[in-house]
Amino acid sequence: MIEIKMPRLSDTMEEGAVAAWHKKPGERVEVGDVLVEIETDKATMDYEAYEAGTLSEILVAEGDTVAIGTPIAMLDNGKDSPAPAPAPAPAPVEATPAPEPAASVSPAPSPAPSPAPAVAASSSRTVSRAVPENRGADGQFASPLVRRLAREHGLDLSGIRGSGPGGRIIRADLDSLVGAPAGPATPAPRHVARPVVATGPIVDARRASQEVPVTKARRVIARRLSESAQTIPHFYVTSVADAEVLTQMRADLNEQAVDKDLAKVSVNDLIVRAVALALREHPEVNASYLGDDSKVMQLHNRVNVGVAVASQHGLVVPVIVDADLKSVYEIGAETKSLAAQANGKGLSIEQMSGGTFTVSNLGMYGVEEFTAIINPPEGAILAVGATTREAVIVGDQIVPRHRMRMTLSADHRIIDGALAAQFLRTLTAFIEHPWRIVAAEA
């Protein structure tokens, strides 16, 4: 008997939802059969069986969301290894030898290595990625969320065995412990009172309200953005760039693209390339904060720029890997391909993982300036407004010029104001001297 658990499909995933079961209890399962569709904060993935057997029991129904590591089904592979009933692990006690062996009850055997879950991600749609370590001063391997919960509830992580990759302690490992009585010196967690939303037949009728289902993807997006806004100390720096030469250069590049049978270049493609080059000059911005208990932060040696896309399925952020090593034409073609896949809900976890910085551009909607929320675990995000013509003083004359406003949202725990300002100054210089964006060496 094999226990199938909710897997971790991305570095930010903490829970997943069962979108659809493709097998029913009692049905035969062959190697390669699609067992279940798992919906995460980034995509919906097919999971396939790598071992044959009979689906014995479904533990998590369609539409339900559970933490990673939670059993979702049982697969009977014909081997005499029944899965143990889930129960909290008892505290270790000294074994007392029995006078004689009992015939009806056997002592619990020594823990054996858990069998691997009988599922594997489709190789055509995803590639497994290593989860970065996050060890605190106590040497325990745990996520920042787990450490925060441990502090709030007075839990000692040293006695907890993690069920995550490499023995990492994850949120699911604390489910049976959160809420347990803490020591007398541990203060109770503070709760913020939230206003009650006024609703009811009279109010709803006056507002002509109707209930619209919130998708699982939207609920996950809402939760992650709330956590980002509440846990990351954002600060914002805005710069205005003269984009007159960039606008003309883009027109020239697109004329050449037609002759060379290349994809046309958008303003956003030029910005992504400029951001990648600016990150190369300021690697401290291309970084991630691992948590208050971590003695290190991560500086990323690859520049992977995420591009926020408002698809018909919700906000997604496909990633342009090694954006600093690609030409503007390559970035343009890849961005268009990823955006088309996003609208068809065809993006894989791999295509949305590993970002080190994000660009969010609302200029095409006529928005001149806005601020964006950081996409964890990244350290910053750039909000780009529309390129508009404004009256600008050049020398002693007032002339019309194309101008662009860019606002950097930065994690103040690792990025100070001076560093953010230096990064924006470098980025602005690339925008105002755009041939450097095209001519820069990979």
Side-chain angles (χ1 to χ4, degrees):
M1 190 75 70
I2 293 179
E3 192 177 61
I4 301 172
K5 297 181 179 181
M6 177 63 69
R8 178 188 292 275
L9 299 177
S10 71
D11 50 4
T12 59
M13 178 181 173
E14 295 176 359
E15 62 184 15
V18 174
W21 284 101
H22 286 249
K23 294 290 184 178
K24 298 179 180 178
E27 288 188 349
R28 179 69 181 173
V29 177
E30 302 295 341
V31 175
D33 286 352
V34 176
L35 284 174
V36 61
E37 292 180 16
I38 302 294
E39 184 171 342
T40 73
D41 58 330
K42 294 183 175 180
T44 299
M45 301 292 296
D46 292 340
Y47 257 65
E48 303 172 354
Y50 77 92
E51 187 167 343
T54 301
L55 187 61
S56 174
E57 183 181 4
I58 290 177
L59 304 178
V60 178
E62 293 181 358
D64 289 349
T65 300
V66 296
I68 57 173
T70 302
I72 61 174
M74 304 297 296
L75 182 71
D76 186 356
N77 60 352
K79 297 180 181 179
D80 296 328
S81 55
V93 296
E94 175 116 15
T96 302
E100 59 183 17
S104 58
V105 180
S106 300
S110 299
S114 301
V119 292
S122 171
S123 59
S124 62
R125 301 182 62 183
T126 183
V127 175
S128 61
R129 300 172 98 42
V131 180
E133 281 198 358
N134 185 18
R135 297 187 184 273
D138 55 5
Q140 289 298 107
F141 188 11
S143 67
L145 174 63
V146 165
R147 295 193 176 278
R148 177 170 61 81
L149 290 173
R151 289 195 302 270
E152 292 176 353
H153 295 275
L155 301 178
D156 182 8
L157 297 181
S158 61
I160 299 176
R161 176 175 295 179
S163 62
R168 190 182 198 216
I169 302 174
I170 59 177
R171 174 66 177 85
D173 298 327
L174 302 186
D175 285 345
S176 61
L177 301 176
V178 170
T186 303
R190 299 175 60 185
H191 298 281
V192 179
R194 300 184 182 277
V196 178
V197 179
T199 185
I202 296 177
V203 177
D204 291 345
R206 177 168 293 181
R207 295 185 299 203
S209 305
Q210 65 176 8
E211 293 185 352
V212 178
V214 180
T215 64
K216 290 184 286 291
R218 173 55 59 186
R219 293 199 300 269
V220 173
I221 291 171
R223 177 180 58 78
R224 293 194 65 234
L225 291 179
S226 295
E227 290 178 357
S228 175
Q230 294 170 7
T231 61
I232 298 177
H234 289 58
F235 79 98
Y236 311 95
V237 183
T238 300
S239 180
V240 182
D242 188 314
E244 185 70 24
V245 180
L246 180 139
T247 302
Q248 182 58 51
M249 187 192 75
R250 173 180 172 249
D252 295 341
L253 290 175
N254 286 336
E255 287 183 6
Q256 299 176 24
V258 173
D259 297 336
K260 298 179 180 179
D261 196 25
L262 297 171
K264 288 189 175 182
V265 173
S266 69
V267 171
N268 199 63
D269 299 331
L270 291 164
I271 292 172
V272 170
R273 169 75 169 151
V275 163
L277 296 176
L279 288 172
R280 186 193 290 179
E281 293 193 21
H282 302 280
E284 300 91 345
V285 180
N286 198 44
S288 294
Y289 186 71
L290 300 180
D292 295 340
D293 293 321
S294 178
K295 295 182 178 179
V296 298
M297 67 179 188
Q298 289 182 332
L299 293 182
H300 309 297
N301 293 322
R302 300 178 72 176
V303 179
N304 302 336
V305 180
V307 181
V309 175
S311 73
Q312 60 184 357
H313 305 290
L315 178 67
V316 294
V317 185
V319 177
I320 308 296
V321 178
D322 295 327
D324 58 325
L325 304 181
K326 295 177 179 177
S327 70
V328 174
Y329 293 112
E330 291 174 323
I331 291 174
E334 188 171 343
T335 301
K336 290 180 178 62
S337 175
L338 291 170
Q341 290 184 61
N343 281 316
K345 207 171 184 179
L347 289 174
S348 68
I349 291 295
E350 181 188 8
Q351 291 172 313
M352 293 185 288
S353 297
T356 62
F357 187 98
T358 295
V359 172
S360 180
N361 190 340
L362 294 180
M364 66 285 295
Y365 298 105
V367 175
E368 293 188 8
E369 183 178 352
F370 69 104
T371 57
I373 297 177
I374 296 171
N375 183 27
E378 297 167 12
I381 183 172
L382 184 73
V384 182
T387 301
T388 58
R389 298 192 78 193
E390 301 177 5
V392 180
I393 298 177
V394 178
D396 295 330
Q397 296 182 334
I398 299 178
V399 296
R401 304 279 292 185
H402 284 91
R403 306 253 285 177
M404 175 194 303
R405 285 170 172 78
M406 303 174 293
T407 299
L408 181 73
S409 303
D411 185 341
H412 216 330
R413 296 173 298 184
I414 55 174
I415 300 174
D416 294 329
L419 175 59
Q422 292 165 6
F423 171 81
L424 269 187
R425 182 174 61 187
T426 300
L427 178 60
T428 300
F430 277 117
I431 298 298
E432 295 183 344
H433 303 86
W435 286 108
R436 294 174 55 196
I437 301 174
V438 180
E441 295 182 0

